[in-house]
Amino acid sequence: MSQAEPSICARAPGHGRAALLCAALAFLVGQAALGLALHRSWRVRDPEYGMRSERLRARLAERAPGRPLVVVLGTSRAAMGVRPGLLPANHRPGGPGPVVFNAGLVGAGSLLDMLCLRRLLAEGFRPDCVLIEVWPWSLSAGTARQLASIPPERLAPDDWTTLRPLGAEPGPNYYPWWHECVPCLSYRTTLLNQLAPSWVIPDKRQNENWNRLDEWGWLRRPTAAESRTGDRAFMNRLRAAYAEHLNHFAASDDARRTYAELFDLCRREKIAAALFIMPDYFLPDYDPASREAADEFLRRLSREHDLPLVDARDWASPDQFCEGVHLTHAGAAAFTERFGREVVQPYLDGESLSRLWPPGSLNTAPRRGD
Amino acid sequence: MLFCSEQFFLFFLVVFAAYWAMPWPRARVWWLLAASFTFYASWNHWLALIIFVSTSLDYLIGRALDASSRSRLRRLLVGVSVAANLGLLAYFKYANFFLQSLEQGLHAAGATVSLPVLQVILPIGISFYTFEAINYTVDVYRRRVPAERRFAHFLLFITFFPHLVAGPIVRARDFLPQIRRPKRWDWVRLHLGAQFFLLGLFKKAVIADRMAEFADPVFGNPGLYGGGATWVAVLAYALQIYCDFSGYTDMAIGCAHLLGYKLARNFDRPYLSANPSEFWRRWHISLSGWLRDYLFIPLGGSRGGRWQTGRNLMLTMTLGGLWHGASWTFVAWGALHGGLLVAHRGFRSWCERRPRLDRLLRTSPGTALRVATTFLAVCAGWVFFRATTFEGAALIFRRLASWRSGLWPDESLGSFWCLAALTVICQVLGRPGVWPSLARRLPAPVLGFGYAAVLMLALLLTPDGSNKVFIYFQF
């Protein structure tokens, strides 16, 4: 458009006025429609959670009311490592059985675990048991650091009622009313990640966190198909990058407090809970003092809240890790088979997880016949 | 506060609503002044104080120039104003550059000295507002404009927030009378302003920032990429800088129209220029006009012989290059354009003596060839403009000239070609009369829906990150 004089750009003042008013109206209607969609659907606001919630609803719809529901909460290690679709319990022959579902979220810590459970409850899901993955490396992050890693547009106004008591406050540039007024700007990263991910700048691209999510909540990343742990140079680089975590364990008070709240919530809602630790490739690389500190923290957390603790850190062989943190597809299958056999199935069969995995102690195998 | 940020949208909404709600013209001027200082202070409070002090000095000098008839005193006053403005620019923008260059020169000569590095922040937009202040005092000195009597009006001329940080460079004779003129709500003008703002936002958010994804990795590490990726990066940067800067200018012009002001045009489809001289009449028009009127013509312009004209062109363009940034690569960029202008003058006079060739070059294929050649020459200049070192620029040129394989950008090339095609469509629509006649024929609801769609698309594609800073903000 050339920088023409006003007189030649519009046919008459009436035409310009009508065009501008129509534009304003169309824009407002568009924003209102988008705002409504964001309010009504987690799929639009937080696709990673929303797609899991949709799949869980679909799985529950296939079962009779009253069937047991077991939900796995945790980080991407759990999201990519637990394949409920392979559990026999989810495919029990001869009728509707229980539902075991993976609700792990990428980058989760205690804060996102808490949010995830709150949202599930608010949506009407009533888990009978939650299996909560605790990852020692994530425990050092305080509330502010955990919150900083959650894009604010993923959070609904109701989420703040969960977050505020945990000491989480929105940053100075977060204006909830503005977010809701102009959603196509405020939620642009989320929306673009869904509509045209290749237009999102690479470090804000999140669609891999929900693309290829299977119907039981397992995140099937194509990059995790093969193991790279045979590449020594690559693994040494990773080891150097993770040195801080391997050599210095420090649990923040915030993480401890958030977990305490999460366990209290489970107790109030009469949800059975158990803690588990995912396989850890770097287990031999820990500084002994650091590992002992992490172990002691986990034992104490489990003991204080009287929760079973499953130590699955050595349940996978090195070639079952794709890059030392997440399990390969085959590794996830093998891990899930054992996890199902030694944790999920006993719970579904009515056994006490606290007896099999006594609180306050780190056991890599269930205590049977005691 | 960037034009494509949430903060600016909110800020402008408040300024716009309150401005038109005020019935008193004088209150509107003060309101715009307050808004302009708030806008500038959003970067740094102290820098707002600097602009206030330097503007006050220029105001007083302007008044004194107007009142005095003694030529020696007037010359002294204009000299003080020019020196103060250029001194401010030199201190904040070039002091460290000159110190570092001096140190490197001394090292090359074998001396071991270590010159200090000044801890100064570059006041945003300083290159623009100092040039505006200089054009005012020089024009008052030349008695081409009367000195502004009202301090608030003069302050608004310099600090009017749409043009404050990245131009266009406004002239006192164009802008000051507009401040005095009473403003009335005018739908035609609002329509025009909204069109400009939308167009600018779209150029910046959709095209420029996307093109940066193709250009930045290659210019950041040219050794890793092959010839194909380097060509894509150079073309992407050519589109990025055009859409970034002209997008900013369009938004500035749009904001000004929405407040009842008209800013100078700054771009006129520059990549369709058939020669370097035409390019500079279509690219950053307000700067090239300023350089012509306040540097090239005072140096003698083209009144002397071929050599004097060539010297004046080289000097003007080299200083123009230095104006863009405190780096020798900018100087080289300016010198390259000076060389292109001199070469074009020589080629033109050579062609004038060969009428058949001249006619051939004026046919459609000949014009297409000239446009393509000019575009490639301009792209070569952008390599110096974008590269931070001569080594980097040389590596880019080597890659451009080779078929060496290497990495490709992470991004899909589909969006590159889509956006390049979109830029071409915008250029076609930008031909005089094309867009206005189309807009006239479209029913208002269709036009309105189109505006809303463009706005939503631009907002949706506004990048969420640090790369949305306008390139020309650093100048």
Side-chain angles (χ1 to χ4, degrees):
Chain A
M1 186 169 57
S2 66
Q3 297 177 18
E5 289 298 317
S7 55
I8 61 165
C9 228
R11 93 181 133 190
H15 186 249
R17 181 177 55 213
L20 286 181
L21 292 177
C22 287
L25 191 68
F27 182 74
L28 291 176
V29 168
Q31 297 313 294
L34 196 55
L36 202 65
L38 283 159
H39 257 279
R40 296 181 68 120
S41 165
W42 281 112
R43 176 82 155 74
V44 185
R45 182 186 284 272
D46 183 357
E48 192 185 352
Y49 169 81
M51 285 182 75
R52 286 174 190 281
S53 141
E54 275 179 11
R55 278 163 169 68
L56 175 57
R57 198 175 298 284
R59 297 293 75 72
L60 288 173
E62 294 164 0
R63 302 289 199 269
R67 69 284 154 277
L69 170 61
V70 178
V71 171
V72 175
L73 298 177
T75 65
S76 58
R77 293 153 65 97
M80 292 165 69
V82 180
R83 300 177 63 173
L86 299 180
L87 291 174
N90 273 337
H91 305 281
R92 190 166 285 172
V99 172
V100 183
F101 192 83
N102 187 343
L105 297 171
V106 175
S110 51
L111 215 57
L112 263 182
D113 286 347
M114 179 74 176
L115 268 185
C116 186
L117 184 60
R118 283 268 196 200
R119 287 177 181 182
L120 289 172
L121 292 171
E123 284 195 87
F125 298 110
R126 312 300 307 177
D128 299 278
C129 175
V130 287
L131 302 172
I132 303 162
E133 182 223 345
V134 184
W135 185 27
W137 295 7
S138 74
L139 295 168
S140 60
T143 299
R145 212 171 91 199
Q146 286 193 57
L147 192 64
S149 69
I150 307 171
E153 64 266 20
R154 276 179 75 173
L155 302 173
D158 285 350
D159 285 334
W160 290 105
T161 54
T162 304
L163 294 171
R164 281 211 170 86
L166 300 170
E169 285 296 333
N173 293 326
Y174 176 77
Y175 311 109
W177 58 272
W178 169 258
H179 266 66
E180 306 312 316
C181 281
V182 196
C184 78
L185 180 66
S186 314
Y187 294 91
R188 60 192 182 276
T189 307
T190 308
L191 294 170
L192 266 189
N193 264 298
Q194 296 172 66
L195 301 171
S198 65
W199 285 74
V200 183
I201 55 171
D203 58 343
K204 298 265 179 182
R205 224 165 269 170
Q206 298 155 3
N207 61 318
E208 282 295 311
N209 296 352
W210 59 79
N211 276 355
R212 300 182 193 85
L213 193 70
D214 86 348
E215 53 185 7
W216 299 94
W218 173 54
L219 184 59
R220 183 181 179 277
R221 274 196 178 159
T223 48
E226 302 290 333
S227 173
R228 289 191 67 189
T229 51
D231 182 343
R232 292 181 70 175
F234 172 73
M235 292 311 294
N236 283 337
R237 279 203 302 276
L238 273 187
R239 208 169 268 121
Y242 297 145
E244 176 66 24
H245 294 295
L246 297 170
N247 296 329
H248 305 285
F249 172 80
S252 73
D253 287 341
D254 287 347
R256 198 192 301 265
R257 188 159 59 120
T258 308
Y259 274 125
E261 287 286 332
L262 177 62
F263 305 147
D264 279 352
L265 176 66
C266 292
R267 206 160 292 129
R268 284 199 303 276
E269 297 289 332
K270 299 188 171 48
I271 301 168
L275 305 177
F276 71 101
I277 316 167
M278 284 294 290
D280 191 342
Y281 175 87
F282 294 105
L283 204 53
D285 299 307
Y286 278 89
D287 170 76
S290 171
R291 180 168 172 187
E292 181 47 38
D295 288 356
E296 179 49 32
F297 177 86
L298 294 166
R299 278 194 291 262
R300 206 175 127 196
L301 194 68
S302 153
R303 190 170 52 241
E304 280 176 359
H305 298 279
D306 195 25
L307 293 175
L309 177 60
V310 179
D311 182 4
R313 281 181 287 187
D314 62 355
W315 284 17
S317 56
D319 62 331
Q320 288 176 328
F321 288 90
C322 56
E323 66 329 43
V325 175
H326 302 105
L327 292 172
T328 59
H329 297 173
F335 169 75
T336 305
E337 189 275 323
R338 184 169 174 188
F339 191 67
R341 181 163 35 87
E342 298 192 349
V343 182
V344 180
Q345 198 54 51
Y347 168 77
L348 293 172
D349 292 343
E351 285 192 64
S352 160
L353 284 181
S354 292
R355 193 181 61 78
L356 292 171
W357 305 93
S361 61
L362 279 163
N363 294 303
T364 57
R367 285 193 186 172
R368 293 194 182 275
D370 282 359
Chain B
M1 207 185 320
L2 299 165
F3 277 5
C4 52
S5 66
E6 293 95 327
Q7 290 93 332
F8 181 79
F9 296 146
L10 261 180
F11 165 81
F12 189 75
L13 213 63
V14 172
V15 171
F16 175 81
Y19 177 81
W20 288 111
M22 285 176 190
W24 315 283
R26 195 174 286 187
R28 282 181 180 170
V29 169
W30 283 103
W31 174 244
L32 284 184
L33 260 180
S36 298
F37 273 95
T38 307
F39 178 77
Y40 200 70
S42 70
W43 275 287
N44 189 309
H45 291 75
W46 291 107
L47 299 182
L49 187 67
I50 289 172
I51 194 173
F52 178 80
V53 171
S54 76
T55 307
S56 306
L57 180 72
D58 289 316
Y59 169 77
L60 293 172
I61 289 177
R63 293 294 304 273
L65 277 170
D66 209 30
S68 169
S69 55
R70 289 162 55 201
S71 61
R72 190 177 286 181
L73 177 65
R74 297 184 84 243
R75 220 173 296 146
L76 179 72
L77 286 169
V78 77
V80 168
S81 168
V82 171
N85 282 298
L86 291 182
L88 208 61
L89 192 60
Y91 174 73
F92 281 107
K93 190 166 173 178
Y94 300 108
N96 280 327
F97 167 64
F98 287 130
L99 285 172
Q100 280 164 13
S101 299
L102 183 63
E103 191 178 289
Q104 282 164 5
L106 290 170
H107 282 180
T112 49
V113 287
S114 176
L115 298 175
V117 176
L118 303 180
Q119 301 296 319
V120 287
I121 315 169
L122 179 66
I124 200 156
I126 189 168
S127 308
F128 292 90
Y129 66 72
T130 47
F131 271 31
E132 283 159 0
I134 290 172
N135 96 52
Y136 168 76
T137 44
V138 171
D139 280 1
V140 172
Y141 170 74
R142 290 172 177 170
R143 301 235 186 253
R144 286 188 184 161
V145 290
E148 177 56 51
R149 302 180 71 80
R150 291 187 182 160
F151 181 56
H153 286 201
F154 182 71
L155 213 49
L156 186 61
F157 155 61
I158 298 290
T159 63
F160 185 52
F161 70 87
H163 74 67
L164 177 59
V165 291
I169 299 168
V170 296
R171 303 289 183 98
R173 62 171 179 265
D174 297 330
F175 198 80
L176 284 169
Q178 293 189 55
I179 304 177
R180 289 177 217 122
R181 209 176 294 144
K183 308 287 180 303
R184 275 182 313 195
W185 180 269
D186 177 358
W187 281 103
V188 174
R189 182 154 227 156
L190 287 180
H191 188 192
L192 187 70
Q195 283 180 341
F196 269 118
F197 192 84
L198 277 181
L199 177 71
L201 186 65
F202 191 82
K203 276 184 185 171
K204 166 65 182 161
V206 180
I207 303 178
D209 288 332
R210 181 67 188 165
M211 286 297 168
E213 299 296 318
F214 293 98
D216 289 349
V218 179
F219 277 98
N221 207 340
L224 291 179
Y225 293 87
T230 311
W231 272 103
V232 167
V234 172
L235 293 177
Y237 187 68
L239 294 181
Q240 184 199 349
I241 193 163
Y242 168 62
C243 290
D244 187 282
F245 191 21
S246 73
Y248 172 85
T249 307
D250 287 338
M251 281 192 266
I253 292 171
C255 287
H257 272 306
L258 290 171
L259 296 168
Y261 288 84
K262 186 183 171 197
L263 297 183
R265 61 192 303 197
N266 222 14
F267 291 90
D268 181 16
R269 298 164 296 133
Y271 289 150
L272 296 181
S273 305
N275 57 61
S277 175
E278 189 184 340
F279 176 78
W280 280 102
R281 287 196 301 272
R282 291 165 162 240
W283 175 274
H284 204 172
I285 299 167
S286 63
L287 174 70
S288 35
W290 193 98
L291 290 173
R292 182 195 61 219
D293 293 347
Y294 300 96
L295 191 58
F296 180 66
I297 291 174
L299 283 171
S302 51
R303 290 190 296 271
R306 200 176 355 150
W307 292 110
Q308 283 98 322
T309 305
R311 180 203 64 193
N312 295 342
L313 277 173
M314 285 302 293
L315 204 58
T316 304
M317 295 312 293
T318 307
L319 286 173
L322 187 62
W323 174 87
H324 280 82
S327 160
W328 289 110
T329 51
F330 286 113
V331 176
W333 173 76
L336 174 77
H337 273 279
L340 287 173
L341 289 172
V342 172
H344 170 248
R345 286 179 80 87
F347 181 70
R348 199 175 57 194
S349 58
W350 186 75
C351 282
E352 277 166 5
R353 294 194 298 274
R354 287 160 184 79
R356 278 183 65 186
L357 177 65
D358 197 43
R359 274 199 303 275
L360 192 68
L361 287 173
R362 289 179 195 281
T363 59
S364 297
T367 306
L369 180 70
R370 287 188 296 140
V371 168
T373 310
T374 307
F375 179 67
L376 283 177
V378 168
C379 285
W382 292 138
V383 173
F384 286 109
F385 198 91
R386 177 64 178 79
T388 45
T389 60
F390 285 112
E391 291 76 25
L395 191 52
I396 293 275
F397 281 121
R398 278 205 297 278
R399 289 283 183 274
L400 288 174
S402 78
W403 293 107
R404 187 180 175 276
S405 61
L407 286 179
W408 269 91
D410 294 339
E411 307 303 310
S412 124
L413 276 184
S415 61
F416 171 80
W417 293 115
C418 276
L419 291 174
L422 200 62
T423 313
V424 173
I425 292 169
C426 284
Q427 301 290 296
V428 173
L429 284 176
R431 289 174 61 196
V434 174
W435 170 251
S437 93
L438 189 68
R440 265 200 304 272
R441 274 192 227 119
L442 287 173
V446 174
L447 204 57
F449 185 78
Y451 292 155
V454 169
L455 177 60
M456 281 201 263
L457 196 62
L459 293 179
L460 194 65
L461 295 174
T462 298
D464 182 9
S466 57
N467 66 338
K468 63 183 174 181
V469 172
F470 288 92
I471 295 172
Y472 265 67
F473 271 30
Q474 63 189 295
F475 306 140

